Amino acid sequence: MRDHTAAAAASKPPVDTSLWGDSYAARFEPDPSGERMIVNMGPQHPSTHGVLRVLLELDGEYIVRAEPVLGYIHRMHEWMAENRTYAQFIPNMGRVDYLHALAWNWAYVGAVERLAGMEVPERAEYIRVITCELNRISSHLLWWGAYLLDLGAFTPIMYAFDDRERILDILQMVTGSRLTYSSFTFGGVSMDLPPQFIPKTREFIATLRGRLPMFKDLVTDNGILRGRCEGIGILDLDTARRYGATGPCLRGSGQPYDVRRAEPYSIYDRFEYRIPTESACDAMARYYVRLCEIDESLSIVEQAMDSIPDGPIQGKGPRKIRPPKGEACFAVEGARGKIMVMVQSDGGPNPYRVKLRAPGFSNLSLFAELAQGTLLSDAVSILGSLDLVIPEIDR
């Protein structure tokens, strides 16, 4: 493990929270002296992917203040839940985070199952684990390629999309979709694994495992990448906890917190896998964690396929779900961190209230503090290392 925390923290200026007022106008009035400049980074900037705006106050090339501005694609998912039946709302989950849609799908159906007291057959649990972990790998691959593209490297995203397309082909066999999945149902899954699923998945695992060393030689050990990421965006553990950071952002600060272990659900306790962590707390540490997680997810998929039992894929239950009055929460580990869904029922056919806990919102909140005092060029490295999916934040 690498540890650049002390040196980087010593060179970074202290965060001046007195600069944060009550409105954007108060925070970003032009500097009368003309020494500082207010600029918009996004939503048109390539590294913000068209949906995130960041207000920056610059002193030369250094960031004095940074403020993410949200709301460009707000879609009111939680309000929509109150106007749909429990089953009708399932497809919405694939639109919250389209890169790890099955994790959101699982969090929602898990909350409703807990509220309604529904049991899930063992085979369905295995299918959920296998498909969710494959979906996690596809999310990390897209992040890897897009992050490096934001930093100026074009070749890696071609490899990332090549491998990701193989995963999408495999998931399409069992979900019927390639992106916005909604194949987890109350009490199970909608489709069983077709005969060619396991052979194709084993073939993919062997291919990706063979490519990971090449990814290390091509990118991870590249001096240009290290220069852009090492010692940049230092996120110490206290700051990560203060903002409620989870997922690779937290584990890149040395905390081995993973919902699959900390708050066990489904059958994850049956598999052997490690929780990757790094102590350097910088953008490179968060990069390392995600690359290591790809290998761990491959291991989980292999173990699940080796021990998957026969049996039904759907538990017994009414076709129209009407849970009793009350509320339930269910949390899963998404590609970006802890996903939690709270469902409240009044006994009717529609949820009375649905609350979504998106990990990206907490992780994005870190940016204002991490960017202060850094170079403008480092803002792209820091922002990309947080692995943000704005539709999840602007839900």
Side-chain angles (χ1 to χ4, degrees):
M1 290 187 179
R2 301 147 39 257
D3 193 349
H4 306 294
T5 311
S11 63
K12 184 177 177 181
V15 175
D16 185 1
T17 56
S18 66
L19 296 172
W20 302 347
D22 297 324
S23 67
Y24 293 126
R27 281 176 257 186
F28 290 92
E29 290 182 354
D31 180 16
S33 68
E35 295 294 323
R36 294 179 178 178
M37 179 171 55
I38 309 298
V39 299
N40 284 295
M41 180 179 169
Q44 287 80 23
H45 194 281
S47 71
T48 66
H49 303 279
V51 286
L52 174 64
R53 175 187 173 205
V54 182
L55 273 169
L56 299 174
E57 181 176 349
L58 302 178
D59 184 355
E61 285 290 316
Y62 287 88
I63 298 172
V64 178
R65 285 179 287 169
E67 182 68 41
V69 183
L70 302 174
Y72 285 86
I73 54 170
H74 185 52
R75 294 160 297 160
M76 302 186 293
H77 281 295
E78 294 166 346
W79 181 85
M80 291 166 71
E82 301 172 15
N83 297 274
R84 285 161 171 73
T85 66
Y86 287 90
Q88 286 174 337
F89 188 64
I90 291 178
N92 281 64
M93 293 294 94
R95 278 78 182 169
V96 175
D97 177 359
Y98 52 88
L99 295 185
H100 200 188
L102 285 174
W104 280 93
N105 195 182
W106 198 347
Y108 174 64
V109 299
V112 175
E113 287 165 355
R114 183 169 288 176
L115 183 60
M118 300 180 69
E119 296 292 331
V120 180
E122 195 171 56
R123 183 174 178 82
E125 294 281 21
Y126 274 85
I127 294 173
R128 287 182 176 184
V129 168
I130 292 169
T131 54
C132 193
E133 292 304 315
L134 287 171
N135 199 187
R136 187 190 314 278
I137 296 169
S138 72
S139 176
H140 282 343
L141 284 172
L142 191 144
W143 167 81
W144 181 74
Y147 184 45
L148 295 164
L149 186 65
D150 290 343
L151 295 178
F154 184 78
T155 302
I157 199 170
M158 309 305 290
Y159 286 104
F161 266 76
D162 181 42
D163 289 323
R164 184 171 175 270
E165 282 296 309
R166 297 169 188 263
I167 297 177
L168 300 189
D169 290 340
I170 291 169
L171 289 177
Q172 188 175 12
M173 296 180 194
V174 70
T175 65
S177 302
R178 295 181 68 82
L179 189 66
T180 50
Y181 308 108
S182 57
S183 63
F184 294 176
T185 59
F186 302 130
V189 292
S190 60
M191 296 172 61
D192 203 347
L193 300 181
Q196 67 272 31
F197 180 89
I198 289 181
K200 287 287 186 182
T201 303
R202 292 193 189 279
E203 181 183 333
F204 163 74
I205 290 173
T207 301
L208 184 56
R209 279 232 171 93
R211 272 191 168 176
L212 290 177
M214 184 266 286
F215 290 170
K216 181 177 184 296
D217 294 337
L218 175 69
V219 178
T220 308
D221 292 340
N222 189 293
I224 299 174
L225 175 70
R226 290 180 174 276
R228 294 293 303 275
C229 296
E230 288 186 344
I232 303 300
I234 297 296
L235 173 61
D236 63 84
L237 189 54
D238 288 340
T239 302
R241 288 171 173 167
R242 179 157 48 87
Y243 278 91
T246 55
C249 290
L250 180 62
R251 293 190 286 274
S253 298
Q255 179 69 47
Y257 176 83
D258 188 303
V259 178
R260 293 171 293 182
R261 283 274 176 82
E263 304 173 44
Y265 60 97
S266 186
I267 54 171
Y268 276 106
D269 57 353
R270 303 183 188 183
F271 307 123
E272 293 293 330
Y273 59 96
R274 68 186 184 92
I275 307 300
T277 60
E278 287 287 331
S279 62
C281 304
D282 56 5
M284 198 69 196
R286 297 186 280 277
Y287 171 96
Y288 274 131
V289 167
R290 293 188 181 95
L291 264 291
C292 291
E293 283 186 7
I294 290 177
D295 198 34
E296 295 305 315
S297 290
L298 291 175
S299 176
I300 293 172
V301 172
E302 282 184 317
Q303 293 176 64
M305 291 192 301
D306 289 341
S307 56
I308 186 170
D310 294 326
I313 61 168
Q314 186 68 43
K316 296 179 180 179
R319 294 186 63 183
K320 293 186 178 180
I321 302 293
R322 296 175 71 106
K325 289 184 179 181
E327 67 179 52
C329 292
F330 194 83
V332 303
E333 181 67 27
R336 272 146 288 284
K338 182 176 182 177
I339 296 169
M340 188 163 64
V341 174
M342 186 277 288
V343 176
Q344 191 172 23
S345 170
D346 61 0
N350 299 357
Y352 176 76
R353 180 82 172 90
V354 171
K355 173 63 179 172
L356 310 178
R357 193 274 178 189
F361 184 80
S362 298
N363 296 346
L364 174 62
S365 301
L366 293 161
F367 180 73
E369 192 161 326
L370 296 185
Q372 190 174 26
T374 67
L375 287 166
L376 176 59
S377 59
D378 294 335
V380 176
S381 301
I382 297 169
L383 202 61
S385 74
L386 301 177
D387 189 12
L388 304 171
V389 173
I390 307 304
E392 174 196 73
I393 301 167
D394 256 357
R395 59 197 180 282

